Amino acid sequence: MKACIAALAISPLATRVAAWGATGHEAVGYVAMAFLAPNALDFVQTSLGSDYNKSLGVAGPWADQIKSNDAYDWASELHYVDAQDDPPSSCSVDMDRDCANGKCILTAIANYTSRVVDDSLTEDEQQEALKFLDHFIGDLGQPLHVENKELGGNYIDVECNGKSTNLHSLWDSGIINVLLDGKDAEDWAADLTKRIQSGAYASLADDWITCADPTDPLRRRGLSLRDDIWTFLESRAITPLKCPLEWAEDANSYDCSAVFTYEDGDDLCEGAYYDDAVETVELQVAKQGYRLAAWLNVLFDGETNL
Ligand SMILES: *[C@@H]1O[C@H](CO)[C@@H](O)[C@H](O)[C@H]1NC(C)=O
Ligand SMILES: *[C@@H]1O[C@H](CO)[C@@H](O)[C@H](O)[C@H]1NC(C)=O
Ligand SMILES: [Zn+2]
């Protein structure tokens, strides 16, 4: 009997579906490629090689593709942090409350940041670290990867253009599929990249890669991504970095302002909900792509270079 209970306790309650669908992850990776500094670009191209056409865009979905491989079961809980808040009325992320066992997307980003620049590892291990970073920095921007409610929305049935889906899947891929209507991730990413370089996102992008220290109660101290990463690399204790914690809070805030704001019976691929969702998804994918580039630039070129 004891053995049975133990076995039940460790078996997952439900298999979580993919994060940003493949398209979302590809787009994050392609956006990042446009902003890599020379050494970061060289590392990425060499490490990913012809298996991934030397591209973070192609490699982005890898960490979801391995979910069907039992050897990688340990990694399935690293795609999210289960914020135990109560959207839409209250949104928050708290490490002690939400990542108590030390295994969540925030500790994973710390681990693979340390490993990707660890030359004592094999090339395969460094490539794995790069692919996990590519993917997890993407997932961190998906509001339902920073949410515990109803298994990150997996248990909530909703409609998209008359078809049944669930809220999580809608935000991973449903909204993106309606928006792109057949256009591919690379074209979408090129469009988002242009917006960062000279369009609607140009005035916002600097703020995407600086943070207010979330561990400072007054949140007045600005913190550069460079200082966050360099301080971390001095100790390499697997504790979350400060900027990703703030980015998690940023993504989680959309659970209150956009994700959980529907009324029963609404079709979520129509009207104001859909318009807000598209705006949020495009912004979050652009942000995470830009942040991924900044991250790798600090690691390999010493500065964000942006
Ligand atoms: C591989 O990358 C090259 C250069 O960026 C690009 O022109 C080509 O379309 C890519 N091929 C595939 C299959 O993604
Ligand atoms: C760090 O990553 C390695 C390789 O994927 C994994 O074996 C290890 O358990 C991770 N460590 C932590 C603390 O997550
Ligand atoms: Zn994922």
Side-chain angles (χ1 to χ4, degrees):
M1 214 35 217
K2 245 184 180 166
C4 284
I5 290 165
L8 272 178
I10 55 168
S11 78
L13 285 174
T15 307
R16 297 207 176 210
V17 264
W20 290 130
T23 310
H25 280 291
E26 286 164 8
V28 167
Y30 285 124
V31 169
M33 289 305 292
F35 295 102
L36 291 179
N39 294 336
L41 180 64
D42 186 54
F43 176 82
V44 163
Q45 292 185 327
T46 306
S47 176
L48 295 178
S50 56
D51 286 353
Y52 297 96
N53 199 23
K54 303 184 179 177
S55 171
L56 294 167
V58 179
W62 169 82
D64 281 334
Q65 292 155 357
I66 57 166
K67 283 179 174 169
S68 54
N69 178 347
D70 293 348
Y72 276 106
D73 277 354
W74 55 271
S76 61
E77 64 190 317
L78 304 180
H79 294 245
Y80 50 85
V81 55
D82 275 335
Q84 292 164 58
D85 53 357
D86 189 22
S89 50
S90 123
C91 278
S92 62
V93 181
D94 180 309
M95 274 304 292
D96 295 334
R97 181 191 66 188
D98 305 327
C99 189
N101 71 354
K103 287 181 188 160
C104 67
I105 191 167
L106 293 158
T107 47
I109 288 172
N111 189 25
Y112 294 110
T113 295
S114 161
R115 291 175 67 87
V116 79
V117 290
D118 184 347
D119 289 330
S120 72
L121 299 180
T122 65
E123 283 176 13
D124 280 354
E125 286 169 327
Q126 281 183 294
Q127 189 208 59
E128 182 194 71
L130 178 64
K131 288 184 292 185
F132 274 132
L133 274 182
D134 180 359
H135 188 91
F136 294 150
I137 290 179
D139 275 348
L140 191 63
Q142 209 280 45
L144 287 170
H145 277 253
V146 191
E147 182 52 55
N148 180 59
K149 192 168 184 170
E150 299 287 345
L151 204 76
N154 273 290
Y155 293 154
I156 302 176
D157 296 326
V158 297
E159 298 251 301
C160 171
N161 285 335
K163 292 191 191 125
S164 303
T165 180
N166 70 65
L167 191 64
H168 189 98
S169 167
L170 181 87
W171 279 81
D172 269 350
S173 52
I175 300 284
I176 293 175
N177 292 343
V178 175
L179 170 71
L180 296 192
D181 192 23
K183 182 164 122 175
D184 72 15
E186 209 170 352
D187 287 348
W188 183 31
D191 191 37
L192 296 175
T193 298
K194 238 181 267 164
R195 277 186 235 174
I196 296 171
Q197 287 165 335
S198 56
Y201 299 151
S203 61
L204 308 175
D206 271 355
D207 278 350
W208 294 349
I209 54 171
T210 25
C211 354
D213 180 350
T215 60
D216 172 4
L218 295 177
R219 302 212 176 204
R220 288 201 194 119
R221 266 183 299 157
L223 176 70
S224 74
L225 187 56
R226 179 187 180 284
D227 290 351
D228 194 18
I229 293 178
W230 281 65
T231 305
F232 166 78
L233 287 177
E234 279 163 20
S235 77
R236 299 202 182 194
I238 306 301
T239 51
L241 288 89
K242 290 169 179 168
C243 288
L245 183 55
E246 193 185 81
W247 300 344
E249 291 178 343
D250 176 30
N252 167 270
S253 73
Y254 292 102
D255 289 317
C256 282
S257 64
V259 178
F260 286 92
T261 59
Y262 55 86
E263 307 277 341
D264 281 347
D266 285 355
D267 187 308
L268 303 191
C269 290
E270 288 174 1
Y273 185 94
Y274 173 76
D275 293 343
D276 260 14
V278 164
E279 194 178 311
T280 305
V281 165
E282 292 208 287
L283 183 68
Q284 290 302 93
V285 166
K287 269 184 200 172
Q288 297 314 110
Y290 195 69
R291 287 166 171 170
L292 173 60
W295 198 270
L296 296 172
N297 291 351
V298 170
L299 288 175
F300 294 99
D301 295 77
E303 300 282 346
T304 56
N305 269 67
L306 291 169

